[in-house]
Amino acid sequence: MGFEVIPAIDVAGGRLALFTPDGPTRANAFGGDPLDAARAYAAAGARRVHVVDLDLAFDGVARNLETVRAIARLGLRVQGSGGIATGEDARAVLDAGADRVVLGSGALADERDAVRTIAELAERVLVGIEVDDRRIRSRGAARVDLPLAETLGWLVGAGARAFLVTAVARAGTLQGPDVATIKRVVRSGRPVIAAGGIANLDDLRAVRRAGATGAIVGRAALEGSIPLSELLDGG
């Protein structure tokens, strides 16, 4: 399996947004249009985009399913994310056109439902692990604070196929990935996609050396600090 670099498109109220500690804030890139961002990423060579519904994440209401549907119509594969806390949430995003979804860390508060969703959706679901100081601490509306190692244990036992690991303190900072945490989750024996802090080619190479099978590039792609085509080629 090759290393996959996936540009992120964060959406609030149908418009491009950035995640901040205080919640979503409007993004001016691409005129704020998530479809224009998706087209640009496709032109740069992206085959998949990571679409984050910040309204679902922070308000618990999925307001951006039409955006998922429109991006999927462009021929891009969509990895749906952002506050997906139940099997019902996950199925709604898949029905809108995503080819796979990220079950959010907040979903792990209900172990029974999480296990059922993992079993039902199989390879179409990744489990989101938001890590802060060696604990899983979700952002957004559905909050959890769980031990990392023990939670990974029951998730692997439940048949989780892959993890999306976000370094909470580094998300949106361009300060580099949390390599130590990536390595810890890689030891679970499951494929890991890394997110948080990735700013340049060296960061992508560090993530790959840590054992990840892919990386999410958010702010660096949106603001164009490095041309996305270079990031896609340089992983």
Coordinates of all heavy atoms in Angstrom, one line a residue, residues 171-224:
A171 N -3.1 20.6 15.8 CA -4.0 20.8 14.7 C -4.1 22.3 14.3 O -4.3 23.2 15.2 CB -5.4 20.3 15.1
G172 N -3.8 22.6 13.1 CA -3.9 23.9 12.6 C -2.7 24.8 12.9 O -2.7 26.0 12.6
T173 N -1.7 24.3 13.5 CA -0.5 25.1 14.0 C 0.6 25.1 13.0 O 1.5 26.0 13.1 CB 0.0 24.6 15.3 OG1 0.6 23.3 15.1 CG2 -1.1 24.5 16.3
L174 N 0.7 24.1 12.1 CA 1.9 24.0 11.2 C 3.2 23.9 12.0 O 4.3 24.2 11.5 CB 2.0 25.2 10.3 CG 0.8 25.5 9.4 CD1 1.0 26.7 8.5 CD2 0.5 24.3 8.5
Q175 N 3.1 23.3 13.2 CA 4.3 23.1 14.0 C 4.9 21.7 14.0 O 5.8 21.4 14.8 CB 4.0 23.5 15.5 CG 3.6 25.0 15.6 CD 3.3 25.4 17.0 OE1 3.2 24.5 17.9 NE2 3.1 26.6 17.3
G176 N 4.5 20.9 13.0 CA 5.1 19.6 12.9 C 4.2 18.5 13.5 O 3.4 18.8 14.5
P177 N 4.3 17.3 13.1 CA 3.5 16.2 13.6 C 4.0 15.7 14.9 O 5.1 15.9 15.3 CB 3.7 15.1 12.5 CG 5.0 15.4 12.0 CD 5.2 16.8 12.0
D178 N 3.1 15.0 15.6 CA 3.4 14.3 16.9 C 3.9 12.9 16.6 O 3.1 12.0 16.6 CB 2.2 14.3 17.8 CG 2.5 13.8 19.2 OD1 3.6 13.1 19.4 OD2 1.7 13.9 20.1
V179 N 5.2 12.8 16.3 CA 5.7 11.5 15.8 C 5.6 10.4 16.9 O 5.3 9.3 16.6 CB 7.2 11.7 15.4 CG1 7.8 10.3 15.1 CG2 7.2 12.6 14.1
A180 N 5.8 10.8 18.1 CA 5.8 9.8 19.2 C 4.4 9.2 19.3 O 4.3 7.9 19.5 CB 6.2 10.5 20.6
T181 N 3.3 10.0 19.2 CA 2.0 9.4 19.3 C 1.7 8.6 18.1 O 1.0 7.5 18.2 CB 1.0 10.6 19.4 OG1 1.2 11.3 20.7 CG2 -0.5 10.1 19.4
I182 N 2.1 9.0 16.9 CA 1.9 8.2 15.7 C 2.5 6.8 15.9 O 1.9 5.8 15.7 CB 2.5 8.9 14.5 CG1 1.8 10.2 14.2 CG2 2.4 7.9 13.3 CD1 2.5 11.0 13.2
K183 N 3.7 6.7 16.5 CA 4.4 5.5 16.7 C 3.6 4.6 17.7 O 3.5 3.4 17.5 CB 5.8 5.7 17.2 CG 6.7 6.2 16.1 CD 8.1 6.4 16.7 CE 9.1 6.9 15.6 NZ 10.5 7.2 16.2
R184 N 3.0 5.2 18.7 CA 2.3 4.5 19.7 C 1.1 3.8 19.1 O 0.8 2.6 19.4 CB 1.8 5.4 20.9 CG 2.9 5.8 21.8 CD 2.4 6.5 23.0 NE 3.5 7.1 23.8 CZ 3.9 8.3 23.7 NH1 3.3 9.2 22.9 NH2 4.9 8.8 24.5
V185 N 0.4 4.5 18.2 CA -0.8 4.0 17.6 C -0.5 3.0 16.5 O -1.2 1.9 16.4 CB -1.8 5.1 17.1 CG1 -3.0 4.5 16.5 CG2 -2.1 6.1 18.2
V186 N 0.6 3.2 15.8 CA 1.1 2.2 14.8 C 1.3 0.9 15.5 O 1.1 -0.2 14.9 CB 2.3 2.7 14.1 CG1 3.0 1.6 13.4 CG2 2.0 3.9 13.2
R187 N 1.8 0.9 16.7 CA 2.0 -0.4 17.4 C 0.8 -1.2 17.6 O 0.9 -2.4 18.0 CB 2.8 -0.1 18.8 CG 4.2 0.3 18.6 CD 5.0 0.1 19.9 NE 4.6 1.1 20.9 CZ 5.2 2.3 21.0 NH1 6.2 2.6 20.2 NH2 4.9 3.2 21.9
S188 N -0.4 -0.6 17.4 CA -1.6 -1.4 17.5 C -1.7 -2.5 16.4 O -2.6 -3.4 16.5 CB -2.9 -0.5 17.4 OG -3.0 0.0 16.1
G189 N -0.9 -2.3 15.4 CA -1.0 -3.2 14.2 C -2.0 -2.9 13.2 O -2.1 -3.6 12.2
R190 N -2.6 -1.7 13.3 CA -3.6 -1.3 12.3 C -3.0 -0.1 11.5 O -2.2 0.7 12.0 CB -4.9 -0.8 13.0 CG -5.6 -1.9 13.7 CD -6.1 -3.0 12.8 NE -7.0 -4.0 13.4 CZ -6.6 -5.1 13.9 NH1 -5.3 -5.4 13.8 NH2 -7.4 -6.0 14.5
P191 N -3.4 0.1 10.3 CA -3.0 1.2 9.5 C -3.4 2.5 10.2 O -4.5 2.6 10.8 CB -3.8 1.1 8.2 CG -4.1 -0.4 8.1 CD -4.3 -0.8 9.5
V192 N -2.5 3.5 10.1 CA -2.7 4.8 10.7 C -2.5 5.9 9.7 O -1.6 6.0 9.0 CB -1.7 5.0 11.9 CG1 -1.7 6.4 12.4 CG2 -1.9 4.0 13.0
I193 N -3.5 6.8 9.7 CA -3.4 8.1 9.0 C -3.2 9.2 10.0 O -3.9 9.2 11.0 CB -4.7 8.4 8.2 CG1 -4.9 7.3 7.1 CG2 -4.6 9.7 7.5 CD1 -6.2 7.4 6.3
A194 N -2.2 10.0 9.8 CA -1.8 11.0 10.8 C -2.4 12.4 10.4 O -2.4 12.8 9.2 CB -0.3 11.1 11.0
A195 N -2.7 13.2 11.4 CA -3.2 14.6 11.2 C -2.7 15.5 12.3 O -2.5 15.0 13.4 CB -4.7 14.6 11.1
G196 N -2.5 16.7 12.0 CA -2.2 17.7 13.0 C -0.7 18.2 12.8 O 0.2 17.5 13.0
G197 N -0.6 19.5 12.5 CA 0.7 20.1 12.5 C 1.5 20.0 11.2 O 2.7 20.5 11.1
I198 N 1.1 19.2 10.2 CA 1.9 18.9 9.0 C 2.0 20.2 8.2 O 1.0 20.7 7.7 CB 1.3 17.7 8.3 CG1 1.4 16.5 9.2 CG2 2.0 17.5 7.0 CD1 0.6 15.3 8.6
A199 N 3.2 20.6 7.9 CA 3.4 21.9 7.2 C 4.2 21.7 5.9 O 4.2 22.6 5.1 CB 4.1 22.9 8.1
N200 N 5.0 20.7 5.8 CA 6.0 20.6 4.7 C 6.4 19.2 4.4 O 5.9 18.2 5.0 CB 7.2 21.4 5.0 CG 7.9 21.1 6.3 OD1 8.1 19.9 6.6 ND2 8.2 22.1 7.2
L201 N 7.2 19.0 3.4 CA 7.6 17.7 2.9 C 8.4 16.9 4.0 O 8.2 15.7 4.2 CB 8.5 17.8 1.7 CG 7.8 18.4 0.4 CD1 8.8 18.5 -0.7 CD2 6.7 17.5 0.0
D202 N 9.2 17.6 4.8 CA 9.9 16.9 5.9 C 9.0 16.4 6.9 O 9.2 15.3 7.4 CB 10.9 17.9 6.6 CG 12.1 18.2 5.7 OD1 12.4 17.5 4.8 OD2 12.8 19.2 6.0
D203 N 7.9 17.1 7.2 CA 6.9 16.6 8.1 C 6.2 15.3 7.5 O 6.0 14.3 8.3 CB 5.8 17.6 8.4 CG 6.3 18.8 9.2 OD1 7.3 18.6 9.9 OD2 5.6 19.8 9.2
L204 N 5.9 15.3 6.3 CA 5.3 14.1 5.6 C 6.3 12.9 5.7 O 5.9 11.8 6.0 CB 5.0 14.4 4.2 CG 3.7 15.2 3.9 CD1 3.6 15.5 2.4 CD2 2.5 14.6 4.5
R205 N 7.6 13.2 5.5 CA 8.6 12.1 5.5 C 8.7 11.6 7.0 O 8.8 10.4 7.2 CB 9.9 12.6 5.0 CG 9.8 12.9 3.5 CD 11.1 13.6 3.0 NE 10.9 13.9 1.6 CZ 11.3 15.1 1.1 NH1 11.9 16.0 1.9 NH2 11.1 15.3 -0.2
A206 N 8.6 12.5 8.0 CA 8.7 12.0 9.4 C 7.5 11.1 9.7 O 7.6 10.1 10.4 CB 8.7 13.2 10.3
V207 N 6.3 11.5 9.2 CA 5.1 10.7 9.5 C 5.2 9.3 8.8 O 4.9 8.3 9.5 CB 3.9 11.5 8.9 CG1 2.6 10.6 8.8 CG2 3.5 12.7 9.8
R208 N 5.8 9.3 7.6 CA 5.9 8.0 7.0 C 6.9 7.2 7.7 O 6.7 6.0 7.8 CB 6.3 8.3 5.5 CG 6.3 7.1 4.6 CD 6.5 7.4 3.2 NE 6.2 6.3 2.3 CZ 6.1 6.4 1.0 NH1 6.3 7.6 0.4 NH2 5.9 5.3 0.2
R209 N 8.0 7.8 8.1 CA 9.0 7.0 8.8 C 8.5 6.4 10.1 O 8.9 5.4 10.6 CB 10.3 7.8 9.1 CG 11.1 8.1 7.9 CD 12.5 8.6 8.3 NE 12.4 9.9 9.0 CZ 12.4 11.1 8.5 NH1 12.5 11.2 7.2 NH2 12.3 12.2 9.2
A210 N 7.5 7.1 10.7 CA 6.9 6.7 12.0 C 6.0 5.5 11.8 O 5.5 4.9 12.8 CB 6.2 7.8 12.6
G211 N 5.7 5.2 10.5 CA 4.9 4.0 10.3 C 3.5 4.3 9.8 O 2.7 3.3 9.5
A212 N 3.1 5.5 9.6 CA 1.8 5.9 9.1 C 1.7 5.5 7.7 O 2.6 5.5 6.9 CB 1.5 7.3 9.3
T213 N 0.4 5.2 7.3 CA 0.2 4.8 5.9 C -0.4 6.0 5.1 O -0.6 6.0 3.9 CB -0.8 3.7 5.8 OG1 -2.1 4.1 6.4 CG2 -0.3 2.4 6.4
G214 N -0.6 7.2 5.8 CA -1.1 8.3 5.1 C -1.1 9.5 6.0 O -0.8 9.4 7.2
A215 N -1.4 10.7 5.5 CA -1.5 11.9 6.3 C -2.5 12.9 5.7 O -2.8 12.9 4.5 CB -0.1 12.6 6.2
I216 N -3.1 13.6 6.7 CA -4.1 14.7 6.3 C -3.3 16.0 6.3 O -2.6 16.3 7.2 CB -5.2 14.8 7.3 CG1 -5.9 13.4 7.5 CG2 -6.2 15.9 6.9 CD1 -6.7 12.9 6.3
V217 N -3.4 16.7 5.2 CA -2.8 18.1 5.1 C -3.9 19.1 5.0 O -4.7 19.1 4.1 CB -1.9 18.2 3.8 CG1 -1.3 19.6 3.8 CG2 -0.9 17.1 3.8
G218 N -4.0 19.9 6.1 CA -5.1 20.9 6.2 C -4.7 22.3 5.8 O -4.8 22.7 4.7
R219 N -4.3 23.0 6.8 CA -4.0 24.4 6.7 C -2.9 24.6 5.6 O -2.9 25.6 4.8 CB -3.5 25.0 8.0 CG -3.3 26.5 7.9 CD -2.9 27.0 9.3 NE -2.4 28.4 9.3 CZ -1.9 29.0 10.4 NH1 -1.8 28.4 11.5 NH2 -1.4 30.2 10.2
A220 N -1.9 23.8 5.6 CA -0.8 23.9 4.6 C -1.3 23.9 3.2 O -0.8 24.6 2.3 CB 0.3 22.8 4.8
A221 N -2.3 23.0 2.9 CA -2.9 22.9 1.6 C -3.8 24.1 1.3 O -3.7 24.7 0.2 CB -3.7 21.6 1.5
L222 N -4.5 24.5 2.3 CA -5.5 25.6 2.1 C -4.8 26.9 1.9 O -5.2 27.7 1.0 CB -6.4 25.7 3.4 CG -7.7 26.5 3.2 CD1 -8.6 25.9 2.2 CD2 -8.4 26.7 4.6
E223 N -3.8 27.2 2.6 CA -3.1 28.5 2.5 C -2.0 28.5 1.5 O -1.4 29.5 1.2 CB -2.6 28.9 3.9 CG -3.7 29.1 4.9 CD -3.2 29.6 6.3 OE1 -1.9 29.6 6.5 OE2 -4.0 29.9 7.1
G224 N -1.7 27.3 0.9 CA -0.7 27.2 -0.1 C 0.7 27.5 0.3 O 1.5 28.0 -0.5

